Amino acid sequence: MLFKGRNLYTINEVTIIDSFQQLLRDLDTITYASYFNELIDITMENEEANKQLFKDLVTSFYFIKNDVMDIEVLARAFETKILRATGYELNFNQCVKCRKKIIMSNNIDLQSYGPICKDCEKLNSIYISNPTYNTLKFLNNFGMDKINRIAVSKTSKLELYKILSTIISQNYTRKPKSLEMFDYLKEYEN
């Protein structure tokens, strides 16, 4: 039970369904779970309700808890869901410049958030390989309950990270710090 005070809410009674205690098992799981929460905090307004995004967050936590899939791919999938929930969804139906129907592209426009056909100017875009394009399209178009079936190469993971982190940093007032700290710690270990 939750009560609203003048500035804060007070929790009076709670029933724990799942504490996700397993997310504390190592630095990877702690960092990614923190990152997902930080994305929610950065992108959503206080008291803004979004049931689908909440379901995606809980699904992500269950995937991490049960070690069902590659955590980096899970993070990219969650980022696409955040972009969709906040109005920055990638559009894969047509070229974002000329509106011609498109099936494959090697460039993603960083202003219109979608593919650019081979005939249009590639200004303000990021190059991606065909496998990365297909992976990004899959992550964008399918629900979180389907993404555990996908295998992604190391090269595609890097390209996905580059594209999605650029779009996220361009569109939100704050940049998530969780993964930056994680990358720094991993670099320091080596």
Side-chain angles (χ1 to χ4, degrees), residues 93-167:
N93 297 324
Q94 59 195 10
C95 172
V96 294
K97 302 272 186 182
C98 69
R99 305 288 181 223
K100 183 171 44 174
K101 188 164 174 59
I102 193 168
I103 302 215
M104 181 62 68
S105 176
N106 290 115
N107 292 86
I108 298 293
D109 186 81
L110 294 175
Q111 291 179 326
S112 301
Y113 311 118
I116 303 171
C117 72
K118 62 183 182 335
D119 300 325
C120 289
E121 188 178 348
K122 311 297 188 270
L123 190 65
N124 294 320
S125 71
I126 291 182
Y127 173 84
I128 60 172
S129 63
N130 289 347
T132 302
Y133 179 86
N134 288 330
T135 302
L136 187 57
K137 188 175 181 178
F138 180 85
L139 295 177
N140 188 68
N141 293 341
F142 288 93
M144 291 297 282
D145 58 331
K146 306 258 188 299
I147 57 133
N148 62 323
R149 301 176 186 153
I150 191 169
V152 180
S153 72
K154 190 172 188 171
T155 303
S156 286
K157 285 183 201 177
L158 290 170
E159 289 179 355
L160 289 169
Y161 176 76
K162 183 178 177 183
I163 291 165
L164 293 170
S165 65
T166 300
I167 293 171

Side-chain angles (χ1 to χ4, degrees), residues 23 25 28-29 32-33 35-36 39 56-82 135 139 143-148 150 152 157 160 164 179:
L23 301 181
R25 71 178 172 262
D28 288 8
T29 58
Y32 279 96
Y35 175 64
F36 295 164
L39 279 175
D56 291 341
L57 178 65
V58 172
T59 301
S60 298
F61 284 174
Y62 275 109
F63 282 157
I64 295 171
K65 171 187 166 182
N66 296 311
D67 200 19
V68 172
M69 64 178 296
D70 185 320
I71 201 163
E72 287 180 63
V73 177
L74 178 61
R76 302 301 79 85
F78 189 72
E79 289 166 347
T80 64
K81 304 315 175 212
I82 286 281
T135 302
L139 295 177
M144 291 297 282
D145 58 331
K146 306 258 188 299
I147 57 133
N148 62 323
I150 191 169
V152 180
K157 285 183 201 177
L160 289 169
L164 293 170
L179 287 185

Side-chain angles (χ1 to χ4, degrees), residues 2 24 35 47 53-54 60 71 91 108 112 142 171 185:
L2 197 64
L24 303 175
Y35 175 64
E47 299 187 31
L53 193 55
F54 178 75
S60 298
I71 201 163
N91 175 7
I108 298 293
S112 301
F142 288 93
N171 291 297
L185 291 173

